[in-house]
Amino acid sequence: MNKSVFAAVILSVASTAFAGEVPASLNDKNCKAEYPKASLMNEEQGDVTMAFLVGADGNVVESKVEKSSGFKNLDKAALKALSACKFKPGTKDGSVAQTWTKVDYSWKL
């Protein structure tokens, strides 16, 4: 039986914005990462904090893990899945611009 497991929750999208800057935000609330099979078998859970540099077109330009879940497979799966998601671009001084934003992703069984 082939069963995909989606058991994660996006906790928050936030950024430390400079004056006149509005960070990008996740446009697709249904954007989820698939639980890695090895992590399921090992019952791994945790929260990962990632940072995304989002271009003016809403696509991810750069991404990085800021705080690990404690499990490399979970971190990599969240980063890969959310990097492919569409974001609402941020603004600087009222104009659409490339901005950094943070996303917390929670892996729960």
Side-chain angles (χ1 to χ4, degrees):
M1 182 169 139
N2 186 4
K3 186 166 125 180
S4 294
V5 178
F6 295 95
V9 178
I10 295 173
L11 296 175
S12 65
V13 177
S15 179
T16 305
F18 296 100
E21 183 178 308
V22 176
S25 57
L26 195 56
N27 203 24
D28 184 359
K29 298 298 181 195
N30 295 318
C31 189
K32 291 185 171 71
E34 188 170 345
Y35 229 109
K37 288 180 184 178
S39 296
L40 274 174
M41 289 174 32
N42 294 321
E43 298 182 354
E44 297 171 351
Q45 300 183 88
D47 300 331
V48 58
T49 300
M50 300 161 288
F52 296 95
L53 180 59
V54 179
D57 62 357
N59 292 314
V60 173
V61 175
E62 187 180 332
S63 61
K64 60 186 174 184
V65 172
E66 291 207 329
K67 182 176 176 266
S68 175
S69 64
F71 301 101
K72 191 173 247 180
N73 285 342
L74 295 181
D75 296 347
K76 285 172 56 178
L79 199 61
K80 181 179 178 183
L82 270 68
S83 289
C85 295
K86 191 74 169 177
F87 284 75
K88 178 182 175 192
T91 60
K92 287 183 184 174
D93 299 322
S95 298
V96 174
Q98 180 172 282
T99 59
W100 280 97
T101 192
K102 290 185 183 180
V103 178
D104 294 324
Y105 203 80
S106 181
W107 294 98
K108 303 278 184 217
L109 293 173

